[in-house]
Amino acid sequence: MPELRTPFPVVVNEHVDRIDGPTRDWVQRWGLLNTAEQAGRYYERLMCGYASAATNPELGYAELRLANDWNMWLFLQDDFWGGYPESEELEATALGLLPRLVSVIKRTGLTPNSGEHGLVASFADLWHRTASLASADQLGRLREAAYSTLMAILWEAQVARVSHPIDLSQYRPMRVLSAFPVFVLRLEEILGGYGIPVTQIRDHRVERLVWLSAATTCWLNDVISYPKEIMTERSNGFSIPEILRRQSGSSPQQALDAAEAAFYQSIEDYQRQEEEVLAFADPELRRYIGSATRPFISGWTDWAYRTARYGVGMPLDAAPLSLSTTAVDRGL
């Protein structure tokens, strides 16, 4: 199993120890976890608060709390949708939620409805809280990312149902959409209060930078989760190593090595793109790069080796945290 590294430092938000409690209360409010086993798995083993703090080192307490609620919702929906290949009934339930989520996205002022499915009602709560912080353009781009993500999830469901083989040219763009990373980076732009000029944030070079930051975390997940998936789950082929194994007849280890190479290639692509963007970036865009797109890569990578979610996590008491109480010199 490779130990993936990034060239960016990991800085943990100073509020890391204060956010999991409120998120537990939020999960309970919307009835998203029902059993003690689930609670133990998500609260003690997942380390959601650490993931939020490592990927958002400079957010204030209130904004980090909201980011943590969002991340918890994303983990929960990922596991919920991940079970549908095993059950047509669950598949119908999962896919039936998509139009309800779309209705929330379209209607910014929609009041969360406790009569809805928990994933929809809690999503409405998150969307409502986030929309109140966003500019019109920020909210528009968050909508774009949300729509694209939900359509990519639908595509994955259809492919899984008919067991249709896919190649890397199909998988790469759809994976970056369906896993929500672009959505989360748009969300972080709102929560961080970045006043990036529209002409810059919508520049195609900046769009590619955001995409590469998101994509790197997808290839990270493909590598880190692959050993567990091939041992415990019926593979649906939605990972780089599994696609390579099927296409080329490689051994699992050879496929894993190739996925590791894709991760490092993505980091190199990101660094080249970042250098190009920094040549014209205004101070707010530079701040976004230093506090959002870089930590998105380094934070998720660090978390992946701490969490027990993939069966490779470090002991929970390993490596004491280095808390950020002041701005970090990012060398920008």
Side-chain angles (χ1 to χ4, degrees):
M1 184 68 189
E3 184 175 350
L4 304 178
R5 299 180 181 275
T6 81
F8 311 122
V10 177
V11 180
V12 181
N13 192 293
E14 63 178 316
H15 302 297
V16 61
D17 294 325
R18 301 175 58 200
I19 55 175
D20 270 334
T23 295
R24 290 188 188 199
D25 294 341
W26 180 81
V27 168
Q28 183 175 5
R29 173 188 175 192
W30 297 106
L32 299 178
L33 290 174
N34 299 317
T35 69
E37 187 276 332
Q38 286 178 317
R41 176 154 52 94
Y42 277 92
Y43 297 144
E44 279 73 35
R45 298 176 67 232
L46 178 62
M47 299 181 67
C48 183
Y50 183 84
S52 300
T55 54
N56 297 281
E58 302 300 330
L59 287 187
Y61 172 66
E63 292 77 18
L64 188 64
R65 274 190 55 183
L66 180 51
N68 201 47
D69 289 352
W70 267 114
N71 281 332
M72 181 62 79
W73 186 90
L74 291 169
F75 282 121
L76 289 165
Q77 69 80 29
D78 181 60
D79 286 348
F80 180 74
W81 263 289
Y84 65 65
E86 306 297 332
S87 164
E88 289 189 14
E89 181 179 355
L90 181 56
E91 179 185 27
T93 300
L95 297 183
L97 299 184
L98 293 179
R100 299 299 303 146
L101 295 174
V102 169
S103 71
V104 172
I105 296 166
K106 290 173 64 177
R107 297 171 58 196
T108 303
L110 181 66
T111 301
N113 181 356
S114 60
E116 279 278 15
H117 188 284
L119 281 176
V120 176
S122 56
F123 181 84
D125 173 69
L126 293 172
W127 191 269
H128 183 77
R129 291 158 62 192
T130 303
S132 68
L133 304 174
S135 69
D137 187 68
Q138 287 174 332
L139 191 60
R141 279 181 283 108
L142 188 67
R143 278 198 180 100
E144 291 170 6
Y147 289 143
S148 297
T149 293
L150 296 179
M151 293 307 99
I153 290 174
L154 180 59
W155 175 82
E156 282 195 2
Q158 293 172 327
V159 170
R161 172 53 56 197
V162 299
S163 301
H164 180 72
I166 57 175
D167 60 27
L168 287 180
S169 66
Q170 297 171 304
Y171 171 77
R172 284 177 178 269
M174 299 304 284
R175 169 61 169 162
V176 178
L177 293 175
S178 68
F180 278 93
V182 175
F183 176 86
V184 174
L185 282 163
R186 298 304 190 200
L187 175 68
E188 290 185 1
E189 182 197 338
I190 295 170
L191 299 182
Y194 297 98
I196 304 169
V198 174
T199 54
Q200 292 206 355
I201 197 64
R202 286 193 175 272
D203 186 285
H204 69 93
R205 293 163 292 184
V206 179
E207 294 275 4
R208 176 165 168 75
L209 184 74
V210 171
W211 181 270
L212 288 169
S213 178
T216 303
T217 64
C218 291
W219 316 150
L220 159 74
N221 182 267
D222 281 4
V223 171
I224 207 75
S225 64
Y226 187 57
K228 178 184 175 183
E229 288 177 356
I230 61 176
M231 289 188 297
T232 63
E233 302 175 12
R234 186 182 75 176
S235 175
N236 57 17
F238 293 134
S239 75
I240 285 182
E242 183 63 10
I243 292 172
L244 291 173
R245 187 189 68 80
R246 292 182 179 186
Q247 287 184 342
S248 63
S250 303
S251 69
Q253 185 60 54
Q254 290 172 322
L256 195 60
D257 291 343
E260 178 185 6
F263 171 81
Y264 284 115
Q265 181 62 57
S266 188
I267 287 181
E268 290 180 16
D269 293 342
Y270 171 88
Q271 289 179 297
R272 283 194 295 270
Q273 192 65 33
E274 184 187 273
E275 183 178 1
E276 181 178 354
V277 169
L278 287 174
F280 65 84
D282 87 326
E284 283 294 278
L285 180 53
R286 286 173 172 264
R287 186 168 74 91
Y288 179 64
I289 292 171
S291 297
T293 62
R294 282 186 182 182
F296 197 76
I297 296 172
S298 60
W300 283 117
T301 303
D302 181 66
W303 167 83
Y305 287 93
R306 292 175 179 270
T307 180
R309 184 173 177 83
Y310 307 115
V312 297
M314 295 164 55
L316 298 186
D317 59 351
L321 307 182
S322 174
L323 303 185
S324 168
T325 56
T326 59
V328 177
D329 180 7
R330 304 179 189 88
L332 298 185

